[in-house]
Amino acid sequence: MLEIYTVCDTISRMIKYTDAHCHFTGQILPESIAGLITNSARFNDWNTVVNVARSNPNIHGAIGLHPWYLTDLPSDWAETLTSVLAQNPELLVGEIGLDKHHPDLPTQEHVFTRQLQIATQMHRGVCVHCVGVWDKMLHILRGQGVSLPPFILFHGFRGPVDQIQRLADKYNAYFSYNHRLNEKYVLATPRDRILAESDSATPTDVVDNVSRLAEISGLDIGDMADIINANMGRMLNNG
């Protein structure tokens, strides 16, 4: 499990950052990055993510099927996902979700729901992408009843602001923000649920996003990094 990361208080303060959602394929973390979650998007990415996550205890992997890449899936994809998760007990499920700008929403809903069910069965947190179809997303989540993953990370969150607290309370949800962050979302997010992400292959991109979150929140960047790092540790320990 991930230890809660802390910022080193020295004469020249060395700030450490965590990246809650990226697509990193390296094995050596940049010096400023204490930990990250790297996500797959396609079925063929899964082995890469598994190998990257095995290479470093502070790299946490998530495998799943992104709603943009659902064509030509093998018929046994769900069985393969279950098997890979069973062999790798630290893996999360992600990046999964729904996107109104991509075709065949019924297939997206089916694949997302099945992955959500597998994550629940395997007791794995999920990293969720949702664009423009929050009504469908919330309908699917309600349909799961009390059978839910241990946590849900909504990455690049742009959902209903008035649902943030409810999502946090009902689904143990956390909310990560990238360069497209919006002030109203940041201010509406409980401080113990806020995360930062690069959503890129370069996790150091997260630094500017933490700086912006700090500015919006009226905090020193080091204090903001401390909050985010503690939230990341708590989330990964299912807290």
Side-chain angles (χ1 to χ4, degrees):
M1 291 295 182
L2 179 73
E3 294 184 359
I4 294 177
Y5 297 118
T6 58
V7 177
C8 299
D9 288 304
T10 60
I11 295 174
S12 56
R13 194 179 189 194
M14 174 68 178
I15 301 175
K16 292 287 188 176
Y17 300 88
T18 50
D19 187 348
H21 182 94
C22 65
H23 300 277
F24 182 64
T25 58
Q27 297 185 344
I28 300 174
L29 292 178
E31 185 178 2
S32 61
I33 303 299
L36 57 80
I37 300 173
T38 187
N39 290 254
S40 70
R42 300 173 175 85
F43 180 84
N44 290 337
D45 296 339
W46 293 359
N47 283 339
T48 298
V49 169
V50 168
N51 290 331
V52 170
R54 285 176 175 171
S55 72
N56 188 315
N58 291 325
I59 297 175
H60 301 268
I63 62 168
L65 300 171
H66 192 290
W68 295 1
Y69 309 110
L70 300 182
T71 57
D72 301 321
L73 291 178
S75 60
D76 63 347
W77 70 263
E79 291 79 6
T80 302
L81 177 60
T82 302
S83 176
V84 176
L85 291 172
Q87 294 167 34
N88 297 274
E90 300 299 326
L91 279 180
L92 308 175
V93 175
E95 171 178 3
I96 66 175
L98 305 173
D99 195 316
K100 75 171 184 178
H101 299 303
H102 288 262
D104 199 354
L105 269 173
T107 295
Q108 290 187 38
E109 291 177 49
H110 169 72
V111 172
F112 171 68
T113 301
R114 186 71 189 101
Q115 292 181 100
L116 196 64
Q117 292 167 345
I118 291 170
T120 300
Q121 293 161 7
M122 304 296 290
H123 199 68
R124 307 301 170 87
V126 296
C127 303
V128 170
H129 166 113
C130 187
V131 175
V133 282
W134 280 95
D135 55 340
K136 294 183 183 298
M137 173 66 64
L138 295 175
H139 176 75
I140 290 171
L141 291 175
R142 285 193 297 268
Q144 304 309 301
V146 296
S147 297
L148 296 164
F151 69 82
I152 298 176
L153 167 59
F154 290 109
H155 105 83
F157 183 74
R158 296 298 292 269
V161 174
D162 62 354
Q163 292 291 311
I164 289 176
Q165 187 65 60
R166 179 177 175 276
L167 290 167
D169 294 341
K170 186 169 184 178
Y171 302 114
N172 196 23
Y174 290 77
F175 309 86
S176 66
Y177 296 102
N178 53 42
H179 65 282
R180 293 182 291 273
L181 63 87
N182 183 298
E183 182 172 334
K184 69 178 181 180
Y185 291 97
V186 175
L187 294 176
T189 302
R191 193 160 285 182
D192 64 349
R193 297 284 168 164
I194 197 165
L195 295 166
E197 62 174 66
S198 67
D199 194 18
S200 76
T202 309
T204 50
D205 290 348
V206 80
V207 175
D208 286 342
N209 301 330
V210 175
S211 178
R212 178 66 177 135
L213 288 171
E215 179 184 349
I216 292 170
S217 302
L219 295 172
D220 174 81
I221 187 171
D223 292 337
M224 190 78 244
D226 276 343
I227 290 168
I228 290 168
N229 298 348
N231 292 345
M232 179 91 146
R234 189 186 322 107
M235 179 184 74
L236 289 171
N237 285 292
N238 301 332

